[in-house]
Amino acid sequence: MSGERHRRRQEASGAGCVGIARRTYSFLWLSGYARIDLRLDPAGELYVLEANPNQQIAKSEDFADSAERAGLSCEALLQRILGLSLRRHLLSSLPIAPSRCPVGSASDQPCSV
C-alpha cells in the first residue's frame, strides 16, 4: 500500500469517520439517534452511503452490532438512547426565565427590549 493510501486510510478510520458522521447528521438536521453508513474505497476515499434516522435497534441488527464493536452493549446502547432522549425532552419543556435588567438598574422586573 502506498504511503498516501495508507495515510488516507488512517485518517478515515476512527476520528475521520466520527467527524464525517457528525457533519452528515448536522447537515441533514437529524435529531435523536441515527445510523450513518460510510464506505471506504480502495484508494482511501470515505463516502457517505446513507443516513438512517429510523433503523432497527434489535441485538441482531447493524446498529446494535456497531455499538457492540465500539464497546457499548445493546442494553447500554438502549439506556443511552433513552437517557439522551429524556434529557432533551426535559430540557425542551423547561420554562425560559425572562431576562433581567443589567445589574445596578433600579428595577428587578424583566427588561423591555
Side-chain angles (χ1 to χ4, degrees), residues 2-113:
S2 74
E4 176 64 16
R5 276 181 51 197
H6 180 71
R7 182 188 63 76
R8 289 171 94 173
R9 280 195 174 278
Q10 290 296 323
E11 285 177 2
S13 65
C17 288
V18 171
I20 288 174
R22 285 183 175 167
R23 286 194 304 274
T24 301
Y25 182 92
S26 178
F27 180 80
L28 295 174
W29 294 39
L30 298 174
S31 65
Y33 70 96
R35 185 187 74 227
I36 310 297
D37 293 343
L38 306 172
R39 292 296 181 266
L40 188 64
D41 74 7
E45 289 291 325
L46 193 59
Y47 294 92
V48 176
L49 294 181
E50 72 172 326
N52 190 338
N54 193 24
Q55 71 283 344
Q56 292 280 341
I57 55 175
K59 280 187 177 185
S60 61
E61 295 296 330
D62 292 342
F63 191 71
D65 227 21
S66 296
E68 189 82 42
R69 290 181 186 186
L72 196 62
S73 71
C74 187
E75 292 78 13
L77 171 65
L78 293 175
Q79 283 190 344
R80 186 167 181 183
I81 290 170
L82 289 172
L84 291 170
S85 297
L86 285 171
R87 186 177 83 189
R88 191 173 114 221
H89 175 73
L90 291 173
L91 289 176
S92 69
S93 65
L94 290 176
I96 299 174
S99 59
R100 299 284 174 198
C101 293
V103 176
S105 67
S107 172
D108 190 29
Q109 297 301 312
C111 292
S112 57
V113 180

